[in-house]
Amino acid sequence: GDERDRVVLQGVSKGSARVVSISPDDELLAVGGTDWSVRLFRTKEDYLPPRWGGVLCGHWGIITCLAFTPDSKRLASGSGDGTVRLWDVVAGQQVGGAMQHFAVVNDVALVDLPLGGNSYL
């Protein structure tokens, strides 16, 4: 494409991005990659990171998959380290502990369950 159509994302090295996800409310872009972190960018503010910095760290392997909750407030990340982590994207904090899997996590999906409150599967 044309150079005018490209966006440079702060902190994302060329070739390091492996997976992206856009929040259901179209406010955030999540980028995961080879540096073992997830970076968030505000889509409607020139792709700047959130005020808390926008970097979610905790995995010990390449980020392989990302999924936002239907309300766009949380993000699940899967990794080559065999874990899934749930993040509060408003605060920039991990929610609970890592969920361990027996191998590389290749896909995550989150749905809102009718159990009251914020229940996700």
Side-chain angles (χ1 to χ4, degrees):
D2 194 311
E3 282 291 323
R4 296 178 306 215
D5 297 333
R6 295 184 187 187
V7 174
V8 176
L9 300 173
Q10 179 183 351
V12 178
S13 301
K14 186 175 182 178
S16 69
R18 292 291 179 247
V19 61
V20 298
S21 182
I22 296 178
S23 61
D25 65 5
D26 293 328
E27 295 286 329
L28 290 173
L29 169 69
V31 179
T34 59
D35 67 353
W36 305 358
S37 69
V38 177
R39 295 179 185 274
L40 295 175
F41 301 93
R42 296 174 293 180
T43 60
K44 297 183 179 173
E45 296 183 38
D46 292 329
Y47 293 92
L48 294 172
R51 289 173 192 23
W52 51 263
V55 182
L56 303 171
C57 297
H59 285 291
W60 291 91
I62 293 171
I63 308 302
T64 54
C65 51
L66 298 167
F68 280 94
T69 56
D71 64 6
S72 300
K73 293 180 181 175
R74 295 193 174 176
L75 175 73
S77 58
S79 171
D81 67 5
T83 64
V84 173
R85 296 176 188 268
L86 187 63
W87 307 93
D88 176 331
V89 297
V90 176
Q93 302 284 327
Q94 185 173 324
V95 178
M99 294 164 269
Q100 189 66 48
H101 188 57
F102 63 90
V104 172
V105 178
N106 291 310
D107 199 10
V108 290
L110 297 166
V111 295
D112 198 358
L113 299 175
L115 301 175
N118 290 326
S119 302
Y120 304 106
L121 175 63

